[in-house]
Amino acid sequence: MQIRTGDTFDPRVIALLDHHVTAARAQTAPGSAHALDLSGLRAPDIAFWTAWEGEMLVAVGALKTLSSEHGEVKSMHTLQTTRRRGFGGRMLRHIVTEARARGMTRLSLETGSWDYFKPAHALYRAHGFVPCGPFEGYVEDPNSLFLTLDLSPPAGR
């Protein structure tokens, strides 16, 4: 798998992102879906990546800069037919690495709380994310799950 800067004008990327936004909104209560559309991914505070296996797009992911120390995982999605092959985990590790390289000490995310999102919950928890409260303009919502990861270097280093 090769991860590279995402091209939001590539028709393959547009199709996968359209599926991601449509599926997320269909599986979330009205007003509780926070998936970024193409214009949101083109914002200056967003770094966006695509993952490829050969010429096949297999995953996307983004990092939103909330502050110099805090980032948000956005638009994590793996192609349905390639799930359970480690692509989502590799994309998430890439985002975590990028956040650390940018000096961030906290990485957070919001995802749906419904059964559809349980595989995502398992992925994030397996990578050390823990529940937290709403952050950066989000509000408490039973349809949302908020998670965070402490990126601070261990004490004594």
Side-chain angles (χ1 to χ4, degrees), residues 83-112:
R83 291 191 179 163
R84 307 210 45 85
R85 293 181 46 200
F87 297 132
R90 288 169 67 187
M91 177 61 78
L92 183 57
R93 286 189 298 278
H94 177 80
I95 292 169
V96 168
T97 298
E98 285 289 327
R100 280 192 170 111
R102 293 166 189 231
M104 294 177 181
T105 56
R106 180 177 173 207
L107 190 56
S108 301
L109 62 93
E110 178 279 337
T111 190

Side-chain angles (χ1 to χ4, degrees), residues 54-71:
E55 288 302 310
M56 182 172 59
L57 175 63
V58 295
V60 294
L63 171 63
K64 179 177 184 178
T65 299
L66 303 176
S67 72
S68 61
E69 292 140 2
H70 191 191

Side-chain angles (χ1 to χ4, degrees), residues 20-139:
H20 167 62
V21 170
T22 301
R25 290 186 179 156
Q27 294 294 327
T28 305
S32 295
H34 303 288
L36 291 179
D37 60 13
L38 282 169
S39 64
L41 287 170
R42 293 175 180 147
D45 60 345
I46 300 286
F48 173 65
W49 297 278
T50 53
W52 301 83
E53 186 174 59
E55 288 302 310
M56 182 172 59
L57 175 63
V58 295
V60 294
L63 171 63
K64 179 177 184 178
T65 299
L66 303 176
S67 72
S68 61
E69 292 140 2
H70 191 191
E72 180 180 4
V73 176
K74 296 295 291 182
S75 299
M76 280 283 300
H77 188 80
T78 302
L79 183 67
Q80 182 70 35
T81 58
T82 63
R83 291 191 179 163
R84 307 210 45 85
R85 293 181 46 200
F87 297 132
R90 288 169 67 187
M91 177 61 78
L92 183 57
R93 286 189 298 278
H94 177 80
I95 292 169
V96 168
T97 298
E98 285 289 327
R100 280 192 170 111
R102 293 166 189 231
M104 294 177 181
T105 56
R106 180 177 173 207
L107 190 56
S108 301
L109 62 93
E110 178 279 337
T111 190
S113 63
W114 298 16
D115 286 348
Y116 173 83
F117 299 97
K118 286 192 187 275
H121 302 168
L123 172 71
Y124 296 131
R125 287 189 167 125
H127 285 83
F129 284 80
V130 296
C132 68
F135 58 93
E136 194 62 30
Y138 289 107
V139 295

